[in-house]
Short mmCIF file of all heavy atoms in Angstrom, two decimals:
data_model
loop_
_atom_site.label_atom_id
_atom_site.label_comp_id
_atom_site.label_asym_id
_atom_site.label_seq_id
_atom_site.Cartn_x
_atom_site.Cartn_y
_atom_site.Cartn_z
N GLN A 64 -25.45 -16.86 22.51
CA GLN A 64 -24.58 -16.50 23.64
C GLN A 64 -23.53 -15.54 23.13
O GLN A 64 -22.87 -15.81 22.13
CB GLN A 64 -23.92 -17.75 24.23
CG GLN A 64 -22.96 -17.41 25.37
CD GLN A 64 -22.33 -18.66 25.97
OE1 GLN A 64 -22.92 -19.72 25.97
NE2 GLN A 64 -21.12 -18.51 26.46
N LEU A 65 -23.39 -14.40 23.82
CA LEU A 65 -22.41 -13.39 23.44
C LEU A 65 -21.61 -12.96 24.66
O LEU A 65 -22.14 -12.83 25.76
CB LEU A 65 -23.10 -12.14 22.88
CG LEU A 65 -23.90 -12.26 21.60
CD1 LEU A 65 -24.56 -10.93 21.28
CD2 LEU A 65 -23.05 -12.72 20.46
N ARG A 66 -20.34 -12.72 24.43
CA ARG A 66 -19.49 -12.06 25.41
C ARG A 66 -19.18 -10.68 24.84
O ARG A 66 -18.54 -10.57 23.80
CB ARG A 66 -18.22 -12.85 25.66
CG ARG A 66 -18.46 -14.15 26.33
CD ARG A 66 -17.17 -14.86 26.70
NE ARG A 66 -17.44 -16.13 27.28
CZ ARG A 66 -17.80 -16.34 28.54
NH1 ARG A 66 -17.91 -15.32 29.36
NH2 ARG A 66 -18.05 -17.55 28.99
N LEU A 67 -19.70 -9.66 25.51
CA LEU A 67 -19.57 -8.28 25.03
C LEU A 67 -18.58 -7.51 25.89
O LEU A 67 -18.59 -7.63 27.11
CB LEU A 67 -20.90 -7.54 25.16
CG LEU A 67 -22.06 -7.95 24.32
CD1 LEU A 67 -23.32 -7.29 24.84
CD2 LEU A 67 -21.82 -7.53 22.91
N ASN A 68 -17.78 -6.70 25.24
CA ASN A 68 -16.95 -5.75 25.94
C ASN A 68 -17.53 -4.36 25.66
O ASN A 68 -17.75 -4.01 24.50
CB ASN A 68 -15.50 -5.83 25.48
CG ASN A 68 -14.86 -7.14 25.90
OD1 ASN A 68 -15.01 -7.57 27.03
ND2 ASN A 68 -14.18 -7.79 24.98
N LEU A 69 -17.81 -3.63 26.71
CA LEU A 69 -18.40 -2.30 26.58
C LEU A 69 -17.34 -1.24 26.88
O LEU A 69 -16.34 -1.53 27.54
CB LEU A 69 -19.57 -2.14 27.55
CG LEU A 69 -20.68 -3.18 27.47
CD1 LEU A 69 -21.75 -2.90 28.51
CD2 LEU A 69 -21.27 -3.23 26.09
N ALA A 70 -17.59 -0.04 26.41
CA ALA A 70 -16.68 1.09 26.67
C ALA A 70 -17.51 2.30 27.06
O ALA A 70 -18.56 2.56 26.46
CB ALA A 70 -15.84 1.39 25.45
N GLN A 71 -17.03 3.03 28.06
CA GLN A 71 -17.73 4.22 28.53
C GLN A 71 -17.55 5.36 27.54
O GLN A 71 -16.47 5.57 27.00
CB GLN A 71 -17.19 4.63 29.89
CG GLN A 71 -17.90 5.82 30.50
CD GLN A 71 -17.39 6.15 31.89
OE1 GLN A 71 -16.89 5.28 32.59
NE2 GLN A 71 -17.49 7.39 32.28
N THR A 72 -18.63 6.12 27.32
CA THR A 72 -18.57 7.29 26.44
C THR A 72 -18.56 8.56 27.28
O THR A 72 -18.72 8.52 28.50
CB THR A 72 -19.76 7.34 25.47
OG1 THR A 72 -20.95 7.58 26.22
CG2 THR A 72 -19.88 6.05 24.67
N ALA A 73 -18.41 9.70 26.61
CA ALA A 73 -18.38 10.99 27.29
C ALA A 73 -19.78 11.51 27.59
O ALA A 73 -19.94 12.51 28.29
CB ALA A 73 -17.62 12.00 26.44
N CYS A 74 -20.81 10.85 27.07
CA CYS A 74 -22.19 11.32 27.23
C CYS A 74 -22.84 10.75 28.49
O CYS A 74 -22.67 9.58 28.80
CB CYS A 74 -23.03 10.93 26.03
SG CYS A 74 -22.48 11.67 24.49
N ARG A 75 -23.62 11.58 29.14
CA ARG A 75 -24.40 11.12 30.28
C ARG A 75 -25.61 10.34 29.78
O ARG A 75 -25.99 10.45 28.62
CB ARG A 75 -24.85 12.31 31.13
CG ARG A 75 -23.70 13.20 31.50
CD ARG A 75 -23.29 13.48 32.85
NE ARG A 75 -24.05 13.31 34.02
CZ ARG A 75 -23.53 12.70 35.09
NH1 ARG A 75 -22.34 12.18 35.04
NH2 ARG A 75 -24.22 12.63 36.19
N LYS A 76 -26.22 9.55 30.65
CA LYS A 76 -27.36 8.71 30.27
C LYS A 76 -28.53 9.53 29.73
O LYS A 76 -29.25 9.06 28.87
CB LYS A 76 -27.86 7.90 31.46
CG LYS A 76 -27.20 6.60 31.62
CD LYS A 76 -27.90 5.62 32.53
CE LYS A 76 -28.53 6.10 33.76
NZ LYS A 76 -28.95 5.01 34.66
N GLN A 77 -28.72 10.73 30.22
CA GLN A 77 -29.87 11.53 29.85
C GLN A 77 -29.69 12.24 28.50
O GLN A 77 -30.58 12.94 28.05
CB GLN A 77 -30.18 12.58 30.93
CG GLN A 77 -30.60 12.00 32.25
CD GLN A 77 -29.43 11.49 33.07
OE1 GLN A 77 -28.27 11.76 32.79
NE2 GLN A 77 -29.74 10.70 34.09
N THR A 78 -28.56 12.08 27.86
CA THR A 78 -28.26 12.75 26.60
C THR A 78 -29.27 12.34 25.52
O THR A 78 -29.57 11.17 25.36
CB THR A 78 -26.84 12.39 26.12
OG1 THR A 78 -25.92 12.74 27.15
CG2 THR A 78 -26.48 13.14 24.86
N GLN A 79 -29.76 13.32 24.78
CA GLN A 79 -30.72 13.04 23.71
C GLN A 79 -30.03 12.47 22.48
O GLN A 79 -30.51 11.53 21.89
CB GLN A 79 -31.48 14.33 23.33
CG GLN A 79 -32.31 14.90 24.46
CD GLN A 79 -33.41 13.96 24.90
OE1 GLN A 79 -33.92 13.18 24.12
NE2 GLN A 79 -33.77 14.02 26.17
N ARG A 80 -28.92 13.06 22.07
CA ARG A 80 -28.20 12.60 20.88
C ARG A 80 -27.15 11.59 21.30
O ARG A 80 -26.05 11.96 21.72
CB ARG A 80 -27.52 13.77 20.17
CG ARG A 80 -28.49 14.70 19.53
CD ARG A 80 -27.73 15.72 18.76
NE ARG A 80 -28.64 16.55 18.00
CZ ARG A 80 -28.24 17.45 17.14
NH1 ARG A 80 -26.96 17.63 16.93
NH2 ARG A 80 -29.12 18.17 16.49
N ARG A 81 -27.47 10.33 21.12
CA ARG A 81 -26.56 9.28 21.58
C ARG A 81 -25.56 8.84 20.52
O ARG A 81 -24.61 8.16 20.82
CB ARG A 81 -27.38 8.07 22.04
CG ARG A 81 -28.24 8.41 23.24
CD ARG A 81 -29.11 7.27 23.64
NE ARG A 81 -29.79 7.62 24.88
CZ ARG A 81 -30.06 6.78 25.84
NH1 ARG A 81 -29.75 5.53 25.72
NH2 ARG A 81 -30.66 7.17 26.93
N GLN A 82 -25.78 9.23 19.26
CA GLN A 82 -24.91 8.77 18.18
C GLN A 82 -23.54 9.43 18.20
O GLN A 82 -22.56 8.86 17.75
CB GLN A 82 -25.55 9.04 16.81
CG GLN A 82 -26.85 8.34 16.58
CD GLN A 82 -28.04 9.18 17.07
OE1 GLN A 82 -27.95 9.90 18.05
NE2 GLN A 82 -29.17 9.05 16.40
N ASN A 83 -23.44 10.66 18.69
CA ASN A 83 -22.20 11.41 18.63
C ASN A 83 -21.35 11.29 19.88
O ASN A 83 -20.46 12.11 20.10
CB ASN A 83 -22.52 12.89 18.37
CG ASN A 83 -23.26 13.09 17.08
OD1 ASN A 83 -23.08 12.34 16.14
ND2 ASN A 83 -24.12 14.09 17.03
N CYS A 84 -21.59 10.30 20.69
CA CYS A 84 -20.84 10.15 21.94
C CYS A 84 -19.51 9.44 21.67
O CYS A 84 -19.50 8.32 21.16
CB CYS A 84 -21.64 9.35 22.95
SG CYS A 84 -23.20 10.14 23.38
N ARG A 85 -18.42 10.09 22.01
CA ARG A 85 -17.13 9.47 21.78
C ARG A 85 -16.72 8.62 22.97
O ARG A 85 -17.08 8.91 24.12
CB ARG A 85 -16.07 10.50 21.45
CG ARG A 85 -15.77 11.48 22.55
CD ARG A 85 -14.72 12.51 22.12
NE ARG A 85 -14.54 13.49 23.15
CZ ARG A 85 -13.75 13.33 24.21
NH1 ARG A 85 -13.04 12.25 24.34
NH2 ARG A 85 -13.66 14.28 25.13
N ILE A 86 -15.98 7.57 22.69
CA ILE A 86 -15.52 6.64 23.73
C ILE A 86 -14.39 7.30 24.51
O ILE A 86 -13.49 7.90 23.94
CB ILE A 86 -15.06 5.31 23.10
CG1 ILE A 86 -16.27 4.58 22.53
CG2 ILE A 86 -14.31 4.46 24.10
CD1 ILE A 86 -15.94 3.30 21.81
N MET A 87 -14.46 7.19 25.83
CA MET A 87 -13.43 7.75 26.71
C MET A 87 -12.36 6.69 26.96
O MET A 87 -12.67 5.57 27.35
CB MET A 87 -14.04 8.17 28.05
CG MET A 87 -15.15 9.20 27.94
SD MET A 87 -14.55 10.79 27.40
CE MET A 87 -13.65 11.31 28.84
N GLU A 88 -11.12 7.06 26.72
CA GLU A 88 -10.02 6.14 26.98
C GLU A 88 -9.75 6.07 28.48
O GLU A 88 -10.04 7.00 29.22
CB GLU A 88 -8.76 6.63 26.25
CG GLU A 88 -8.89 6.62 24.75
CD GLU A 88 -9.21 5.23 24.19
OE1 GLU A 88 -8.64 4.24 24.69
OE2 GLU A 88 -10.02 5.15 23.27
N ASN A 89 -9.23 4.98 28.92
CA ASN A 89 -8.86 4.75 30.33
C ASN A 89 -10.04 4.92 31.28
O ASN A 89 -9.88 5.42 32.39
CB ASN A 89 -7.71 5.67 30.74
CG ASN A 89 -6.49 5.44 29.89
OD1 ASN A 89 -6.18 4.31 29.52
ND2 ASN A 89 -5.79 6.51 29.54
N ARG A 90 -11.23 4.56 30.84
CA ARG A 90 -12.42 4.59 31.70
C ARG A 90 -12.91 3.17 31.87
O ARG A 90 -12.30 2.21 31.42
CB ARG A 90 -13.51 5.47 31.08
CG ARG A 90 -13.14 6.91 30.91
CD ARG A 90 -12.92 7.57 32.25
NE ARG A 90 -12.44 8.93 32.06
CZ ARG A 90 -12.93 9.97 32.67
NH1 ARG A 90 -13.88 9.84 33.56
NH2 ARG A 90 -12.45 11.16 32.44
N ARG A 91 -14.06 3.05 32.51
CA ARG A 91 -14.63 1.73 32.76
C ARG A 91 -14.86 0.97 31.46
O ARG A 91 -15.36 1.52 30.49
CB ARG A 91 -15.96 1.85 33.50
CG ARG A 91 -15.81 2.37 34.90
CD ARG A 91 -17.11 2.63 35.59
NE ARG A 91 -18.05 1.53 35.44
CZ ARG A 91 -19.35 1.65 35.67
NH1 ARG A 91 -19.85 2.80 36.05
NH2 ARG A 91 -20.15 0.62 35.53
N LYS A 92 -14.49 -0.30 31.46
CA LYS A 92 -14.70 -1.17 30.30
C LYS A 92 -15.27 -2.49 30.81
O LYS A 92 -14.56 -3.49 30.89
CB LYS A 92 -13.41 -1.39 29.54
CG LYS A 92 -12.86 -0.12 28.91
CD LYS A 92 -11.71 -0.42 28.00
CE LYS A 92 -11.01 0.81 27.53
NZ LYS A 92 -11.64 1.60 26.57
N PRO A 93 -16.57 -2.49 31.15
CA PRO A 93 -17.17 -3.72 31.67
C PRO A 93 -17.31 -4.78 30.59
O PRO A 93 -17.32 -4.48 29.39
CB PRO A 93 -18.54 -3.25 32.17
CG PRO A 93 -18.82 -2.00 31.43
CD PRO A 93 -17.50 -1.38 31.11
N ALA A 94 -17.42 -6.01 31.05
CA ALA A 94 -17.66 -7.14 30.16
C ALA A 94 -19.01 -7.74 30.54
O ALA A 94 -19.39 -7.75 31.71
CB ALA A 94 -16.56 -8.17 30.32
N CYS A 95 -19.74 -8.22 29.54
CA CYS A 95 -21.05 -8.81 29.77
C CYS A 95 -21.13 -10.18 29.11
O CYS A 95 -20.59 -10.37 28.02
CB CYS A 95 -22.16 -7.95 29.18
SG CYS A 95 -22.30 -6.32 29.93
#
Side-chain angles (χ1 to χ4, degrees):
Q64 177 179 330
L65 297 177
R66 292 186 183 280
L67 293 167
N68 292 314
L69 305 179
Q71 183 177 334
T72 68
C74 297
R75 307 240 341 133
K76 271 196 321 190
Q77 295 79 13
T78 303
Q79 297 297 331
R80 291 186 174 186
R81 296 176 174 216
Q82 298 89 326
N83 300 329
C84 300
R85 64 182 175 83
I86 291 177
M87 301 292 289
E88 296 301 320
N89 300 323
R90 298 295 175 132
R91 292 175 47 197
K92 295 189 189 286
C95 296

